[in-house]
Amino acid sequence: MKNIAVIGAGTMGNGIAHTFAQHGFKVSLIDISETALKNGIANVTKNLDRQVAKEVLTEAQKNETLLNIALLTDLKEGVAKADLVVEAASENLNIKLDIFKKLEELCKPNTILASNTSSISITQIAAATKRADKVIGMHFMNPVPVMKLVEIISGYNTSPETLATVTKLAEQLGKTPVPVNDYPGFVANRILMPMLNEAIETLYNGVAGVQEIDTVMKLGMAHPMGPLQLADFIGLDVCLSILEVMYDGFKNPKYAPCPLLVNMVRAGKLGVKSGEGFYDYSESRKAETVSAQFQ
């Protein structure tokens, strides 16, 4: 397995492309937006520079990594030679189904199709193809070059051979692959998202302020960042989408998104990516200033 195609040049997509390229794979990074591709490769370069500064990589290794990444807007060209395709598009079922229908037609018969989805059913995604045995989930964590975990999600028809191949591949990337079954939210988000949602509920109910909630969890539970800061970092729209998938999948009210979260997403207050969420990021990407609406 030498040729990897990554669909989506956003935060997760460019991180996945970076990681494969750094480990010697030839990567086609595909996005319909040339701007997204330019921003994506700029982010890869910035992160590589950081690795060089920390002496994790040499300058020569950085340049070699960049040479391993090709930028494309044409899906057909991008996946033509791929041994593995990793879809990292928006966390939207219809978008993913459309992509996988196209991949079924455009990819080689033996190409493995993976989704970086953080919550959507792999079984449902696989049903859009005629190779359900070769469809699997590879849920990388953000930031991808740093975080060791990859949730490996088998759909109902994913073959043991596909699972073994993808597990070995994740190990080649220096990751720790963890096999999980195909249920809404898998393991990571099934546990994480209700916690973030409960932190938002705690703020919504006036139990404590933004910094107070985050401080309790950082100092009391040894979390590296508070839940509201983490929600901002993930993206409040992403958190909402995952909670909606889980609520729809389980029909359990404990997964219902907090009304405050819903309203913030509607208002475009998405966290770091929009410049404001529970914290104000207009002057710094660090969570230092609480958003005016919560002061």
Side-chain angles (χ1 to χ4, degrees), residues 14 18 22 26 29 31-32 45 60 73 94 99 104 107 127 133 146 176 188 195 197 209 213 236 260 284 294:
N14 69 62
H18 171 166
Q22 184 179 322
K26 296 296 183 182
L29 181 57
D31 201 294
I32 57 174
T45 303
T73 55
N94 290 331
I99 290 172
E104 173 60 39
C107 293
D133 61 314
V146 176
T176 300
M195 184 193 76
N197 197 46
I213 292 168
L236 302 190
L260 174 58
S284 172
F294 300 118

Side-chain angles (χ1 to χ4, degrees), residues 82-260:
D83 302 306
L84 168 74
V85 178
V86 181
E87 171 272 317
S90 300
E91 193 71 354
N92 178 290
L93 176 61
N94 290 331
I95 291 174
K96 292 184 186 298
L97 292 178
D98 181 62
I99 290 172
F100 275 78
K101 286 176 184 176
K102 291 176 180 176
L103 292 177
E104 173 60 39
E105 299 174 359
L106 298 174
C107 293
K108 299 181 297 183
N110 62 339
T111 300
I112 293 174
L113 307 181
S115 177
N116 181 57
T117 179
S118 55
S119 61
I120 296 172
S121 168
I122 298 301
T123 302
Q124 190 171 8
I125 290 172
T129 76
K130 298 176 181 178
R131 61 179 85 188
D133 61 314
K134 293 183 174 62
V135 178
I136 198 165
M138 291 187 79
H139 180 208
F140 290 85
M141 303 294 128
N142 184 30
V144 180
V146 176
M147 300 293 278
K148 292 293 185 182
L149 174 65
V150 183
E151 281 187 303
I152 308 294
I153 306 103
S154 292
Y156 190 82
N157 293 305
T158 303
S159 70
E161 292 77 17
T162 297
L163 174 60
T165 298
V166 171
T167 297
K168 182 178 179 181
L169 187 63
E171 290 171 344
Q172 288 178 254
L173 299 177
K175 304 299 186 186
T176 300
V178 177
V180 304
N181 292 320
D182 187 21
Y183 291 95
F186 315 131
V187 172
N189 282 319
R190 182 168 179 172
I191 295 170
L192 175 64
M193 286 301 155
M195 184 193 76
L196 301 189
N197 197 46
E198 194 62 30
I200 299 169
E201 285 277 5
T202 304
L203 176 66
Y204 180 57
N205 292 331
V207 178
V210 171
Q211 288 182 317
E212 288 77 10
I213 292 168
D214 278 353
T215 299
V216 166
M217 296 304 290
K218 286 190 288 185
L219 299 185
M221 313 304 166
H223 290 192
M225 66 173 71
L228 299 177
Q229 180 187 359
L230 179 56
D232 275 355
F233 179 72
I234 294 169
L236 302 190
D237 54 335
V238 175
C239 294
L240 177 59
S241 176
I242 295 170
L243 284 164
E244 288 176 334
V245 167
M246 293 169 66
Y247 182 58
D248 181 64
F250 291 115
K251 301 296 189 293
N252 189 323
K254 73 178 182 179
Y255 299 115
C258 176
L260 174 58

